[in-house]
Protein backbone atom coordinates (compact mmCIF):
# COMPACT_ATOMS: atom_id res chain seq x y z
CA UNK A 1 0.00 0.00 0.00
CA UNK A 2 1.62 3.21 -1.16
CA UNK A 3 -0.92 5.61 0.31
CA UNK A 4 0.51 7.90 2.98
CA UNK A 5 -2.70 8.19 5.00
CA UNK A 6 -3.34 4.43 4.83
CA UNK A 7 0.12 4.08 6.39
CA UNK A 8 -0.73 6.59 9.12
CA UNK A 9 -4.04 4.79 9.76
CA UNK A 10 -2.12 1.49 10.03
CA UNK A 11 0.43 3.02 12.39
CA UNK A 12 3.28 2.45 9.94
CA UNK A 13 4.04 6.18 9.85
CA UNK A 14 3.80 8.16 13.09
CA UNK A 15 1.30 10.96 13.59
CA UNK A 16 -0.08 12.82 16.58
CA UNK A 17 -3.50 11.20 16.85
CA UNK A 18 -6.21 13.23 18.52
CA UNK A 19 -9.11 10.78 17.95
CA UNK A 20 -9.76 7.32 16.56
CA UNK A 21 -12.57 4.82 16.38
CA UNK A 22 -13.56 1.86 14.21
CA UNK A 23 -14.05 3.99 11.10
CA UNK A 24 -12.07 7.23 11.55
CA UNK A 25 -8.67 8.49 12.59
CA UNK A 26 -7.93 12.18 13.29
CA UNK A 27 -4.38 13.51 13.61
CA UNK A 28 -2.52 16.81 13.59
CA UNK A 29 -1.40 18.12 10.20
CA UNK A 30 2.40 18.00 9.91
CA UNK A 31 2.41 21.55 8.46
CA UNK A 32 -0.31 23.33 10.44
CA UNK A 33 -1.93 26.38 8.88
CA UNK A 34 -3.67 27.48 12.09
CA UNK A 35 -3.29 26.83 15.85
CA UNK A 36 -5.64 23.88 15.33
CA UNK A 37 -5.13 21.96 12.08
CA UNK A 38 -6.46 18.44 12.31
CA UNK A 39 -7.07 15.99 9.47
CA UNK A 40 -10.01 13.61 9.85
CA UNK A 41 -9.61 10.54 7.62
CA UNK A 42 -11.59 7.35 7.12
CA UNK A 43 -9.78 4.08 7.76
CA UNK A 44 -11.03 2.88 4.37
CA UNK A 45 -9.12 4.16 1.36
CA UNK A 46 -11.14 6.55 -0.83
CA UNK A 47 -8.91 8.56 -3.17
CA UNK A 48 -10.98 11.70 -3.81
CA UNK A 49 -14.46 13.10 -3.28
CA UNK A 50 -15.19 11.92 -6.84
CA UNK A 51 -14.97 8.33 -5.61
CA UNK A 52 -17.66 8.66 -2.95
CA UNK A 53 -20.87 6.68 -3.34
CA UNK A 54 -24.09 6.55 -1.36
CA UNK A 55 -22.44 3.83 0.73
CA UNK A 56 -20.12 6.50 2.14
CA UNK A 57 -22.83 8.94 3.21
CA UNK A 58 -22.76 7.85 6.83
CA UNK A 59 -18.97 7.88 6.90
CA UNK A 60 -18.76 11.43 5.56
CA UNK A 61 -21.34 12.54 8.10
CA UNK A 62 -19.21 11.03 10.85
CA UNK A 63 -16.14 12.86 9.51
CA UNK A 64 -17.93 16.22 9.60
CA UNK A 65 -19.47 15.64 13.00
CA UNK A 66 -16.16 14.42 14.47
CA UNK A 67 -14.27 17.40 13.08
CA UNK A 68 -16.89 19.67 14.59
CA UNK A 69 -16.64 17.92 17.96
CA UNK A 70 -12.85 18.28 17.93
CA UNK A 71 -13.14 22.01 17.15
CA UNK A 72 -15.73 22.39 19.90
CA UNK A 73 -13.42 20.61 22.35
CA UNK A 74 -10.80 23.26 21.58
CA UNK A 75 -13.35 26.02 22.24
CA UNK A 76 -13.78 27.11 18.62
CA UNK A 77 -17.47 26.34 18.23
CA UNK A 78 -18.45 29.89 19.12
CA UNK A 79 -15.52 31.84 17.65
CA UNK A 80 -15.55 29.77 14.47
CA UNK A 81 -13.55 27.20 12.60
CA UNK A 82 -13.23 25.97 9.02
CA UNK A 83 -13.65 22.54 7.44
CA UNK A 84 -12.22 21.85 3.99
CA UNK A 85 -12.11 18.92 1.58
CA UNK A 86 -9.75 19.61 -1.33
CA UNK A 87 -10.49 17.62 -4.48
CA UNK A 88 -7.80 17.10 -7.13
CA UNK A 89 -5.04 19.33 -8.39
CA UNK A 90 -6.60 22.73 -8.84
CA UNK A 91 -7.98 22.68 -5.31
CA UNK A 92 -4.56 21.71 -3.95
CA UNK A 93 -5.15 18.07 -3.05
CA UNK A 94 -1.75 16.45 -2.53
CA UNK A 95 -2.67 13.27 -0.61
CA UNK A 96 -5.11 11.05 -2.48
CA UNK A 97 -6.97 9.57 0.50
CA UNK A 98 -9.88 11.80 1.43
CA UNK A 99 -9.37 13.95 4.49
CA UNK A 100 -11.30 16.73 6.17
CA UNK A 101 -9.13 19.66 7.23
CA UNK A 102 -10.33 21.25 10.48
CA UNK A 103 -8.74 24.66 11.09
CA UNK A 104 -9.30 26.92 14.07
CA UNK A 105 -7.73 29.39 16.44
CA UNK A 106 -7.20 32.36 14.13
CA UNK A 107 -9.23 34.50 11.74
CA UNK A 108 -9.36 32.84 8.31
CA UNK A 109 -9.72 34.84 5.12
CA UNK A 110 -12.40 34.30 2.51
CA UNK A 111 -12.25 33.72 -0.42
CA UNK A 112 -9.37 31.26 -0.10
CA UNK A 113 -6.29 31.75 -2.23
P1 LIG B 1 -4.28 18.27 0.83
O1 LIG B 1 -3.30 19.26 0.24
O2 LIG B 1 -4.20 16.94 0.12
O3 LIG B 1 -5.68 18.78 0.96
O4 LIG B 1 -3.82 18.04 2.32
C1 LIG B 1 -2.80 17.15 2.67
C2 LIG B 1 -2.32 17.57 4.03
O5 LIG B 1 -1.56 16.51 4.57
C3 LIG B 1 -1.43 18.82 4.02
O6 LIG B 1 -2.01 19.83 4.84
C4 LIG B 1 -0.10 18.30 4.57
O7 LIG B 1 0.53 19.23 5.42
C5 LIG B 1 -0.50 17.04 5.31
N1 LIG B 1 0.53 16.02 5.38
C6 LIG B 1 1.32 15.61 4.34
N2 LIG B 1 2.14 14.64 4.75
C7 LIG B 1 1.86 14.42 6.07
C8 LIG B 1 2.41 13.51 7.03
O8 LIG B 1 3.30 12.70 6.79
N3 LIG B 1 1.88 13.58 8.29
C9 LIG B 1 0.88 14.46 8.61
N4 LIG B 1 0.45 14.44 9.88
N5 LIG B 1 0.34 15.31 7.72
C10 LIG B 1 0.84 15.29 6.46
ZN1 LIG C 1 -5.25 5.51 1.59
Amino acid sequence: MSCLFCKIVAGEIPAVRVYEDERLVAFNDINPQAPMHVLVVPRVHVATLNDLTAEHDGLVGEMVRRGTALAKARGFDGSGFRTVFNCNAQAGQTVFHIHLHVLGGRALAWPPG
Side-chain angles (χ1 to χ4, degrees), residues 21-76:
D21 64 23
E22 300 78 12
R23 290 170 299 282
L24 304 179
V25 179
F27 51 89
N28 288 337
D29 197 292
I30 203 167
N31 183 24
Q33 301 301 309
M36 174 185 186
H37 188 171
V38 167
L39 303 174
V40 182
V41 312
R43 289 186 183 274
V44 64
H45 180 85
V46 179
T48 80
L49 291 185
N50 294 321
D51 301 301
L52 290 171
T53 69
E55 286 181 15
H56 299 112
D57 287 355
L59 183 65
V60 173
E62 288 181 40
M63 292 172 72
V64 173
R65 290 217 311 123
R66 181 55 53 190
T68 298
L70 291 168
K72 185 172 184 177
R74 296 280 294 268
F76 302 139

Side-chain angles (χ1 to χ4, degrees), residues 73-88:
R74 296 280 294 268
F76 302 139
D77 50 330
S79 55
F81 62 97
R82 182 168 294 169
T83 56
V84 176
F85 282 104
N86 293 322
C87 182
N88 276 337

Side-chain angles (χ1 to χ4, degrees), residues 1 3-7 43-46 96-97:
M1 172 58 75
C3 171
L4 175 65
F5 286 175
C6 281
K7 288 179 177 169
R43 289 186 183 274
V44 64
H45 180 85
V46 179
F96 289 87
H97 178 134

